[in-house]
């Protein structure tokens, strides 16, 4: 027994000594591995530090940090209407950032921010234990605000399998250097101005404007928590795209604000019950209230900066402020007027052509549009035959189209989408102040996301909106407003048998000049254009403000010239200003990020007088008649406008284009409506005329103006009264079955002679007599002439 007991003790002792040896070996191995790991880590960090994986920014570079900052565009009233940027960012000072934003950020991202020097070792340990060993992701990351700022300033690079450790190490060193260069307040400011929120927006100010339509200084705790919550995952916690996820994350942020005593329990609970309360708004080059106007501002600003400063100043990176003439209230009215009318008109057009193709009789319109598509061209370049291409293009795919003014997801073949696009009616609207030339509202199309082509600057036939220039020319050359001209349809042999007719088919009686303009009579206008001369008409239009070439043919009087809405509205300022057109302005000032003025526009100049004030008085009176009893009478009769208005409708051949340009003493505005192809149009003049297609946009716009107190002055101003000495010159009927100028004997013996023809004949007779006298004088002898001289002396 003793032997056994002794043997047992020996065995136990042997086992114990074996365990000790194993434990010691394990400890030594661990220590060796740990030492090797520390050595490896030290070597790895040293290699990163010395720049083996790319140079780490030094303190000098960090002190010169310059973010790409968006340039902002402002209306005349100081409202931001858009931006130009590489990165949509706006830098602001901490004093302009809500304290709730800073509190939410610190509570969520770095609770010991004011205690560490860039690295939070406690958080790093927490991440090691909870996140890595226990897999608890809810504990969050270990990066400090300084480390996150380093990542924002210097985006991570690809180092293959070493990407994560290398980038983390670089961020640690950069964060430590940032803490040496900047104060804690400055680091917070840099972070909040650089942090991405998704949707290509950077910084808290832009995020607050995007999701809540307010400055970051006005954010409430729950709004600040929503935005800070997005930093964990921009898309997943996006309040517009994923509202449920956003609310859940927001409430976690609010809980952490309570834990850090930035909010009380009662406040935290109250804010967690609030809805998201989004007021989502996109403002950039392509979005906002005036995207077509923004494109014009971009073109002007780039040209100015290039000419004055070369490449030293960037519109997209240098945080400039651009001030414009646009009135944001009038712009909103214009947008609403176009949207409201064009939705109705498009539906009417679709019903009008239901079951039929608008390009019937012109199949080449559809074929040409189809072959211009990128899909067709790509397949054609691959060598596919037309039959194969069409087979592909006729297969339905998911796409988005515009319906009732809204984007709609549909299943449609690319071939059908071309047909859909061809059926769409387009429009342009422009409003300006004739006193200073300021552009007040600019709408270039029905929807910028779908149609970027700007119909304010595109050129189309202008129709009868050009007729006022004919009548102004006639008045300048001696015609009277009450002079009557036959409405007969004439054929002009010297102009290739051109024979213009009236749209209503009526060619009886006589119209006074003012009656012919008020009722838009083609026959009389054509006769006046020929009598005054197409060149003289074009010259007056150029003086008024038209810029494009006008053909030297009589048909220009009926509006066959291709001109833009921009230049027509500019030319009509000559009527509102009683003779002088004015240059239009849109960009008034450019200021850099430090407040230095880089450009300031001079006041717009009046153009050379296009016609005398007497002519202007007559023209305003006649164009008021168009609104009171002519083709634009719906403005008062249907739309109930009280404003003192003048203007002119326009309809081109076969109803391809509808126009209206109207004005008050303080406003000139015009609208155009039509399809991309002139071959696509309403079949009837009742539907396709300018009074039906374009005038309602102007009318809806003016209704809003009249209803708005601060702007109603535009409508309340009246034109100057007609001087008493001119009243008799416009006191006549618009139309007469017989020529009122004929007296009894002229009627009895077949009418009167043409005044101009009489004058021409008289001039010719006078010239002939003078030539005869000259001949006689030369034929007399020298002696006879000398006798006459002496006789005169006596």
């Amino acid at each position: 027994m003793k032997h056994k007991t002794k043997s047992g003790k020996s065995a136990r002792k042997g086992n114990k000594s074996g365990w000790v040896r194993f434990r010691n070996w394990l400890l030594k191995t661990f220590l060796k591995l740990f030492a090797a790991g520390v050595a490896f880590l030290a070597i790895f960090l040293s290699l990163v530090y010395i720049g083996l994986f790319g140079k780490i920014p030094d303190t000098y570079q960090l002190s010169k940090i310059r973010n790409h900052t968006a340039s902002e565009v402002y209306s005349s009233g100081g409202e931001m209407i858009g931006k130009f940027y590489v990165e949509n960012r706006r830098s602001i000072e901490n004093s302009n950032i809500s304290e709730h934003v800073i509190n939410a950020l610190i509570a969520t991202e770095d609770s010991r921010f004011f205690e560490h020097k860039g690295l939070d070792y406690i958080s790093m340990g927490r991440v090691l234990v909870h996140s890595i060993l226990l897999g608890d992701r809810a504990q969050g990351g270990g990066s400090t605000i300084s480390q996150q700022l380093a990542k924002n300033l210097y985006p991570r690079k690809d180092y293959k399998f070493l990407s994560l450790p290398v980038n983390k190490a670089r961020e640690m060193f950069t964060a430590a250097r940032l803490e040496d260069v900047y104060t804690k307040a400055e680091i917070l400011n840099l972070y909040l101005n650089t942090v991405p929120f998704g949707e290509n927006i950077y910084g808290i100010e832009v995020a607050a404007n995007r999701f809540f339509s307010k400055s970051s200084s006005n954010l409430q705790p729950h709004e600040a928590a929503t935005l800070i919550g997005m930093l964990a995952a921009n898309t997943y916690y996006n309040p517009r795209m994923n509202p449920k996820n956003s609310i859940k994350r927001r409430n976690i942020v609010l809980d952490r604000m309570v834990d850090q005593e930035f909010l009380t329990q009662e406040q935290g609970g109250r804010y967690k019950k609030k809805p998201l309360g989004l007021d989502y708004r996109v403002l950039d080059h392509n979005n906002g209230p005036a995207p077509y106007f923004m494109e014009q501002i971009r073109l002007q600003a780039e040209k100015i900066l290039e000419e004055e400063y070369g490449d030293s100043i960037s519109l997209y990176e240098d945080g400039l402020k651009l001030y414009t003439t646009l009135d944001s209230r009038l712009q909103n009215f214009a947008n609403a007027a176009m949207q409201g009318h064009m939705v109705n008109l498009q539906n009417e057009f679709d019903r009008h052509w239901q079951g039929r193709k608008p390009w019937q009789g012109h199949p080449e319109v559809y074929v040409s549009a189809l072959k211009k598509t990128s899909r067709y061209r790509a397949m054609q370049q691959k060598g596919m035959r037309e039959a194969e291409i069409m087979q592909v293009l006729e297969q339905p795919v998911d796409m988005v189209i515009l319906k009732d003014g809204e984007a709609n997801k549909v299943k449609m073949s690319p071939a059908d989408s071309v047909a859909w696009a061809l059926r769409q009616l387009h429009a342009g609207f422009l409003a300006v102040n004739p006193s200073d030339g300021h552009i007040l509202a600019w709408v270039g199309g029905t929807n910028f996301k779908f149609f970027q082509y700007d119909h304010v600057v595109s050129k189309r036939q202008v129709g009868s909106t050009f007729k006022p220039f004919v009548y102004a020319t006639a008045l300048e050359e001696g015609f009277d407003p009450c002079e009557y001209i036959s409405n007969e349809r004439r054929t002009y042999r010297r102009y290739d048998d051109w024979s213009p007719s009236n749209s209503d088919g009526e060619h009886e009686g006589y119209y006074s000049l003012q009656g012919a303009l008020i009722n838009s009579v083609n026959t009389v206008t054509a006769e006046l254009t020929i009598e005054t001369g197409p060149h003289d008409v074009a010259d007056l239009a150029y003086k008024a403000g038209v810029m494009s070439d006008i053909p030297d043919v009589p048909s220009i009087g009926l509006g066959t010239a291709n001109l833009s809405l921009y230049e027509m509205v500019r030319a009509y300022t000559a009527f509102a200003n009683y003779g002088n057109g004015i240059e239009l302005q849109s960009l008034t000032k450019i200021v850099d990020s430090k407040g230095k003025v880089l450009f300031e526009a001079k006041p717009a100049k009046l153009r050379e007088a296009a016609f005398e004030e007497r002519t202007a008085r007559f023209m305003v009176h006649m164009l008021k008649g168009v609104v009171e009893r002519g083709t634009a009478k719906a403005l008062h009769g249907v739309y109930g406008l009280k404003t003192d208005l003048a203007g002119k409708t326009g309809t081109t051949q076969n109803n391809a284009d509808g126009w209206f340009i109207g004005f008050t003493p303080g406003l000139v505005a015009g609208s155009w409506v039509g399809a991309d192809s002139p071959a696509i149009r309403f079949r009837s003049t009742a539907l396709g005329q300018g009074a039906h297609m374009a005038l309602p946009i102007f009318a809806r716009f003016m209704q809003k103006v009249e209803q708005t107190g601060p702007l109603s002055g535009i409508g309340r101003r009246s034109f100057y009264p007609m001087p008493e000495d001119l009243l008799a010159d416009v006191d006549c009927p618009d139309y007469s079955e017989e020529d009122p100028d004929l007296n009894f004997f002229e009627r009895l013996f077949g009418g009167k002679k043409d005044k101009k023809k009489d004058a021409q004949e008289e001039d010719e007779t006078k010239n002939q007599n003078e030539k005869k006298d000259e001949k006689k004088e030369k034929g007399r002898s020298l002696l006879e002439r000398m006798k006459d001289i002496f006789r005169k002396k006596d």
Side-chain angles (χ1 to χ4, degrees):
M1 291 292 294
K2 287 181 181 180
H3 176 74
K4 287 181 179 180
T5 302
K6 190 174 181 180
S7 298
K9 287 180 179 180
S10 299
R12 285 194 296 274
K13 188 175 180 180
N15 290 338
K16 187 175 181 180
S17 61
W19 164 248
V20 171
R21 285 197 300 275
F22 174 74
R23 185 186 64 187
N24 291 338
W25 175 83
L26 191 63
L27 181 61
K28 288 178 181 179
T29 302
F30 173 77
L31 292 173
K32 288 179 181 179
L33 289 174
F34 179 77
V38 170
F40 174 80
L41 181 62
I43 294 170
F44 171 74
L45 292 175
S46 298
L47 293 175
V48 173
Y49 185 80
I50 63 175
L52 183 65
F53 297 96
K55 186 179 178 182
I56 296 172
D58 57 31
T59 54
Y60 177 77
Q61 289 175 302
L62 292 174
S63 68
K64 300 295 182 181
I65 287 174
R66 177 181 171 273
N67 292 313
H68 292 165
T69 304
S71 292
E72 298 169 347
V73 183
Y74 293 90
S75 71
S76 59
E79 299 89 350
M80 192 193 306
I81 59 173
K83 299 180 179 182
F84 300 107
Y85 56 81
V86 174
E87 294 177 348
N88 189 0
R89 184 198 324 276
R90 183 185 183 191
S91 297
I92 58 172
E93 299 299 324
N94 283 349
S95 58
N96 294 321
I97 301 175
S98 168
E99 64 175 347
H100 304 305
V101 171
I102 295 173
N103 293 341
L105 176 66
I106 291 173
T108 308
E109 300 295 326
D110 192 353
S111 60
R112 282 175 289 278
F113 173 71
F114 291 103
E115 300 168 17
H116 61 67
K117 290 290 292 179
L119 300 177
D120 187 350
Y121 300 105
I122 297 175
S123 290
M124 293 170 68
R126 171 178 53 76
V127 170
L128 177 65
V129 175
H130 289 280
S131 299
I132 298 178
L133 299 179
L134 301 179
D136 181 7
R137 300 291 181 185
Q139 294 297 317
S143 295
T144 63
I145 289 174
S146 301
Q147 287 174 274
Q148 293 180 50
L149 173 59
K151 184 174 70 172
N152 294 340
L153 294 173
Y154 304 98
R156 291 178 172 179
K157 298 178 181 179
D158 183 14
Y159 298 102
K160 306 300 181 184
F161 64 92
L162 289 175
S163 291
L164 182 62
V166 169
N167 282 310
K168 280 286 188 181
R170 286 173 57 84
E171 288 162 13
M172 289 167 58
F173 290 126
T174 303
R177 290 179 180 178
L178 281 168
E179 294 273 349
D180 290 336
V181 174
Y182 295 102
T183 65
K184 289 290 187 180
E186 290 170 336
I187 288 174
L188 278 175
N189 184 259
L190 276 171
Y191 178 86
L192 287 170
N193 282 320
T194 58
V195 63
F197 285 87
E199 299 190 9
N200 196 28
I201 58 176
Y202 297 82
I204 190 65
E205 183 68 9
V206 179
N209 273 283
R210 172 70 58 88
F211 292 101
F212 296 105
S213 294
K214 61 172 65 175
S215 170
S216 60
S217 62
N218 297 322
L219 290 172
Q220 296 300 305
H222 62 292
E223 295 167 336
T226 298
L227 296 180
I228 295 301
M230 291 178 67
L231 302 183
N234 293 160
T235 302
Y236 188 75
Y237 294 122
N238 185 302
R240 178 180 63 89
M241 300 168 63
N242 298 297
K244 291 182 179 178
N245 297 344
S246 178
I247 288 176
K248 185 178 179 181
R249 178 63 182 170
R250 178 199 70 180
N251 291 346
I252 291 174
V253 175
L254 288 170
D255 285 339
R256 292 184 179 174
M257 292 175 74
V258 171
D259 292 341
Q260 295 296 317
E261 298 182 353
F262 293 124
L263 296 174
T264 65
Q265 286 285 353
E266 185 273 331
Q267 289 174 322
R270 186 171 73 249
Y271 287 122
K272 286 168 69 174
K273 292 178 183 178
K274 285 184 175 290
L276 283 171
L278 293 186
D279 186 2
Y280 188 82
R281 180 181 64 162
V282 179
L283 281 179
D284 56 25
H285 180 194
N286 300 321
N287 297 278
Y292 297 95
F293 179 74
M294 285 286 294
E295 175 62 11
Q296 297 303 313
I297 293 299
R298 181 187 71 81
L299 294 172
Q300 289 183 53
E302 284 187 337
K303 183 179 179 182
I304 291 168
L305 294 173
E306 172 66 24
E307 290 176 352
E308 298 295 328
Y309 302 96
D311 297 328
S312 64
I313 297 178
S314 170
L315 177 63
Y316 302 92
E317 300 176 358
D318 289 338
L320 308 178
K321 285 182 168 51
L322 291 79
Y323 297 93
T324 73
T325 61
L326 198 80
D327 187 303
S328 58
R329 297 164 300 177
L330 293 178
Q331 180 67 25
N332 290 334
F333 294 165
N335 288 333
M338 180 176 288
Q339 176 84 347
H341 174 62
M342 292 307 295
V343 166
N344 293 337
L345 191 67
Q346 185 65 56
N347 288 333
E348 188 174 30
F349 186 79
D350 292 340
R351 289 193 300 270
H352 180 73
W353 284 102
Q354 192 168 11
R356 306 170 73 178
K357 296 175 180 177
W359 51 89
Q360 64 180 23
H362 301 278
E364 70 280 0
V365 171
Y366 173 76
V367 173
S368 174
L370 184 68
K371 290 185 175 182
K372 288 178 181 178
T373 62
S374 57
R375 281 188 175 98
Y376 190 100
R377 288 180 174 178
M379 288 185 281
Q380 193 176 47
Q381 288 174 359
K382 290 179 181 178
M384 294 175 67
R385 292 175 298 173
E386 186 169 343
E388 295 173 320
I389 293 173
M390 290 307 301
Q391 189 174 3
V392 174
L393 293 180
E394 287 171 355
Q395 296 299 314
V397 296
D398 291 328
M399 63 176 61
V400 179
I401 65 170
L402 192 67
K403 178 66 176 173
D404 293 333
E406 301 290 339
N408 277 265
K409 293 181 180 179
V410 296
K411 204 91 170 174
M412 181 183 286
S413 72
D416 286 341
S417 73
V418 173
W420 168 84
L422 284 173
R423 287 175 175 268
Q424 301 308 297
L425 295 177
H426 303 277
F429 180 86
L430 179 68
V432 307
N433 184 333
S435 300
D436 56 18
H438 285 184
I439 290 173
L440 305 174
W442 180 309
V443 187
T446 55
N447 189 298
F448 189 80
K449 291 180 181 178
F450 287 85
F451 310 109
Q452 285 81 42
Y453 193 58
D454 191 340
H455 293 286
V456 170
V457 293
S458 64
K459 297 179 181 181
R460 295 288 287 251
Q461 285 193 349
V462 294
S464 296
T465 55
F466 193 82
K467 287 178 179 176
F469 303 116
V470 175
Y471 287 80
T473 305
L475 292 172
E476 284 286 283
E477 296 189 5
F479 282 83
D480 296 321
C482 285
E483 186 167 337
Y484 284 84
I485 297 177
S486 172
N487 185 34
E488 66 182 300
R489 183 174 183 179
R490 303 169 180 84
T491 298
Y492 299 96
R493 303 297 180 193
R494 55 180 167 158
Y495 294 111
D496 299 324
D497 290 337
W498 182 52
S499 182
S501 62
N502 295 323
S503 60
D504 60 5
E506 299 291 333
H507 300 94
E508 305 297 326
Y510 296 79
Y511 279 96
S512 63
L513 254 69
Q514 68 176 3
L517 178 59
I518 288 168
N519 293 283
S520 203
V521 181
N522 289 340
T523 53
V524 175
T525 308
E527 180 69 5
L528 281 175
T529 306
I530 289 172
E531 288 285 344
T532 57
H535 181 272
D536 288 358
V537 173
D539 187 55
L540 184 141
Y542 289 139
K543 288 179 180 178
V546 170
M547 298 167 284
S548 302
D549 289 337
I550 301 174
D552 189 14
V553 293
S555 62
I556 63 168
L558 305 185
T560 56
N562 288 298
L563 308 174
S564 69
L565 179 60
Y566 181 94
E567 54 192 323
M568 286 298 289
V569 168
R570 185 171 85 156
Y572 265 61
T573 62
F575 298 119
N577 289 334
Y578 292 93
N580 296 85
I582 193 167
E583 299 295 339
L584 302 186
Q585 276 190 346
S586 52
L587 181 61
T588 58
K589 189 164 63 173
I590 302 176
V591 178
D592 70 12
S593 58
K594 296 179 180 178
K596 179 184 176 183
V597 176
L598 303 177
F599 162 81
E600 190 160 14
K602 296 178 181 178
K605 293 181 179 179
L606 284 173
R607 298 175 63 81
E608 174 191 353
F611 38 81
E612 294 178 355
E613 185 181 346
R614 180 177 182 276
T615 296
R617 297 278 189 168
F618 286 143
M619 287 304 302
V620 169
H621 175 81
M622 292 158 67
L623 291 170
K624 283 179 65 178
V626 174
V627 175
E628 291 166 358
R629 59 186 185 276
T631 56
K633 60 186 177 184
L635 289 173
H636 292 316
V638 176
Y639 294 96
L641 296 177
K642 303 296 188 293
T643 303
D644 197 10
L645 290 167
K648 187 70 187 75
T649 56
T651 310
T652 60
Q653 191 171 13
N654 297 321
N655 312 310
D657 305 271
W659 290 77
F660 180 73
I661 302 176
F663 60 96
T664 75
L667 180 79
V668 179
S671 53
W672 166 90
V673 175
D676 269 342
S677 170
I680 296 172
R681 54 190 182 263
F682 281 106
R683 298 190 301 276
S684 72
T685 301
L687 297 176
Q689 63 182 310
H692 183 73
M693 289 213 297
L695 178 144
I697 297 175
F698 177 90
R700 286 169 176 258
F701 173 79
M702 289 304 299
Q703 281 178 329
K704 291 286 188 182
V705 170
E706 287 189 354
Q707 293 165 8
T708 306
L711 295 172
S712 60
I714 292 175
R716 288 177 183 167
R717 291 173 60 186
S718 297
F719 292 107
Y720 294 126
M722 180 70 78
E724 289 187 12
D725 60 321
L726 299 181
L727 285 174
D729 294 325
V730 294
D731 185 15
C732 57
D734 293 340
Y735 172 81
S736 175
E737 291 184 2
E738 295 181 341
D739 188 346
D741 291 340
L742 290 176
N743 59 37
F744 173 78
F745 294 103
E746 288 170 333
R747 292 173 198 269
L748 185 63
F749 295 106
K752 63 178 180 180
K753 293 182 180 179
D754 187 282
K755 289 182 183 177
K756 290 190 176 291
K757 191 173 180 182
D758 286 346
Q760 288 173 356
E761 289 177 355
E762 190 179 329
D763 287 342
E764 286 176 11
T765 303
K766 187 178 180 181
N767 289 335
Q768 287 174 0
N769 291 335
E770 285 176 355
K771 286 178 181 177
K772 285 180 183 177
D773 290 342
E774 255 181 60
K775 229 173 180 182
K776 284 180 182 178
E777 181 69 17
K778 286 179 182 177
R780 295 170 67 200
S781 66
L782 177 61
L783 181 60
E784 289 174 328
R785 280 182 277 172
M786 290 295 292
K787 284 180 181 180
D788 285 344
I789 292 170
F790 287 119
R791 194 181 298 120
K792 286 177 184 176
K793 285 184 178 180
D794 293 340

